[in-house]
């Protein structure tokens, strides 16, 4: 699977750990930066990574910042992005099962490497539930997206 990754200075170290894990499992990672711990603006990296997912250039995205919410706020401004902040494997499972989240956001200041890896493993291996009620709910969210968000070109 092709995964877009992005981060700010607070997420550099954890992103590198996650990237190494994903690559060891055979995934292709497109790293949108940043690549160091110098203060930077998160949107400079999350925005192009989100566009890559929305355009289908990458199948999913994993973004790491200080808390995770900044990445999710930026990513969810893009049509077709369904970003969730996950702070434990249970939330990661539900983000995929119920919401079919295509972007995972993690807080590097909050989550340690061990729990982050469990979150990523769970999120990467969990498929959306196919029961009618979950499909119906996801379709309603997609309808809202399509009604109010400008398609990505």
């Amino acid at each position: 699977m092709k995964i877009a990754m992005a981060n700010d200075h607070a997420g550099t170290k954890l992103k590198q750990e996650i990237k190494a894990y994903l690559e060891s499992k055979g995934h292709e990672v497109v790293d949108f930066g940043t690549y160091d711990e110098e203060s930077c603006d998160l949107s400079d990296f999350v925005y192009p990574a989100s566009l890559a997912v929305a355009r289908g250039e990458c199948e999913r995205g994993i973004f790491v910042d200080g808390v995770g919410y900044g990445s999710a706020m930026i990513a969810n401004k893009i049509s077709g992005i369904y970003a969730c902040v996950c702070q434990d494997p249970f939330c990661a499972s539900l983000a995929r099962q119920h919401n079919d989240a295509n972007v995972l956001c993690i807080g590097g200041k909050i989550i340690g490497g061990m729990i982050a890896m469990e979150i990523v493993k769970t999120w990467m291996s969990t498929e959306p539930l196919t029961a009618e009620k979950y499909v119906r709910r996801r379709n309603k969210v997609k309808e809202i997206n399509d009604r109010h968000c400008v398609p990505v070109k």
Side-chain angles (χ1 to χ4, degrees):
M1 186 178 299
K2 195 171 186 179
I3 310 294
M5 292 198 75
N7 62 288
D8 67 1
H9 51 281
T12 300
K13 183 179 177 199
L14 184 55
K15 181 195 72 176
Q16 293 302 335
E17 293 175 32
I18 295 168
K19 179 180 176 181
Y21 166 76
L22 291 170
E23 290 174 338
S24 77
K25 296 299 181 186
H27 298 288
E28 179 183 350
V29 174
V30 181
D31 189 342
F32 287 85
T34 190
Y35 309 103
D36 57 40
E37 295 181 356
E38 293 293 319
S39 182
C40 64
D41 297 333
L42 181 61
S43 57
D44 293 343
F45 310 101
V46 167
Y47 178 59
S50 298
L51 289 174
V53 175
R55 291 178 179 142
E57 297 162 8
C58 294
E59 294 165 76
R60 293 194 203 167
I62 299 177
F63 306 156
V64 186
D65 64 28
V67 181
Y69 293 108
S71 291
M73 288 173 60
I74 296 162
N76 281 323
K77 299 293 185 213
I78 307 301
S79 181
I81 296 296
Y82 303 98
C84 292
V85 178
C86 297
Q87 297 176 344
D88 58 59
F90 179 71
C91 291
S93 178
L94 292 179
R96 289 286 303 142
Q97 288 179 336
H98 291 212
N99 302 308
D100 194 11
N102 58 0
V103 171
L104 170 64
C105 300
I106 298 176
K109 290 183 178 179
I110 296 175
I111 306 295
M114 296 293 284
I115 195 79
M117 288 305 143
E118 292 304 314
I119 292 168
V120 169
K121 288 175 189 175
T122 300
W123 188 78
M124 289 294 296
S125 65
T126 303
E127 293 298 323
L129 295 172
T130 58
E132 188 273 331
K133 69 179 180 178
Y134 299 109
V135 173
R136 182 185 71 244
R137 292 169 185 167
R138 289 191 300 264
N139 284 340
K140 286 182 178 184
V141 173
K142 186 179 181 321
E143 288 171 16
I144 292 167
N145 175 88
D146 294 348
R147 189 176 320 129
H148 295 284
C149 296
V150 176
V152 175
K153 296 175 184 166

